[in-house]
Amino acid sequence: MTSTETFHCTTCPSECLLTVCVERDGDGVARVTSVHGNRCPRGKRFAEQEVVCPMRILATTVVVEGGDERLVPVRTCSPIPRALHKDAMETIRELRVSAPVRMGDVIAANLLDTGVDLVASMDVGLA
C-alpha cells in the first residue's frame, strides 16, 4: 500500500515542507520511496527516520529530596524512539534524587536499554 505524508523538517531553521511517498508491506513496515521539498540532504534523512522510527529528545522533571527545588528538569542526552516515551515516562515517574544535583549529572543511565542517559538540566542545591 502506498501513501503520501506531508510534514515539516525540523533539522534546521528553514523547516522545509516535505512530501514523502511511503510504501507499507503487509505487516505495516514502512519504506520511503521518495522525498520532495527538501532543500538539503538532511531533509531526506529526516523524512526517512521520521517515517521508519521517529526519534525525539525526552524532557520532563524528577522529584528532588532535600533540595531547594522540589523538581529538577531532566532530558535524554540524545533522541530515543518516540514509541518508547510512554514507557520511559513510567520509569522516570518512579525516580527520586537527593540534593545536591548538578546540571549534567546522570539521573538514569541507559534509560530503557537505549544506551541513552537521562541527565539533569539544572543545578539544585541543598534546602
Side-chain angles (χ1 to χ4, degrees), residues 17-112:
L17 179 61
L18 305 176
T19 302
V20 184
C21 292
V22 180
E23 191 174 281
R24 295 187 190 278
D25 67 14
D27 295 327
V29 177
R31 183 176 68 84
V32 173
T33 57
S34 68
V35 177
H36 301 285
N38 55 306
R39 291 180 240 166
C40 71
R42 289 184 297 173
K44 184 175 188 291
R45 288 191 302 270
F46 174 80
E48 291 169 344
Q49 180 70 61
E50 190 65 14
V51 168
V52 175
C53 180
M55 303 285 281
R56 299 285 188 279
I57 296 282
L58 175 62
T60 186
T61 56
V62 169
V63 173
V64 178
E65 296 174 345
D68 59 358
E69 299 285 343
R70 293 180 44 217
L71 300 170
V72 61
V74 296
R75 64 173 178 76
T76 54
C77 286
S78 57
I80 63 172
R82 194 172 67 193
L84 293 179
H85 281 212
K86 182 180 177 197
D87 292 340
M89 287 300 297
E90 289 174 7
T91 297
I92 294 166
R93 194 171 293 122
E94 302 301 319
L95 296 177
R96 304 286 182 269
V97 295
S98 297
V101 178
R102 298 290 166 238
M103 186 170 19
D105 284 355
V106 175
I107 304 302
N110 191 21
L111 185 64
L112 297 179

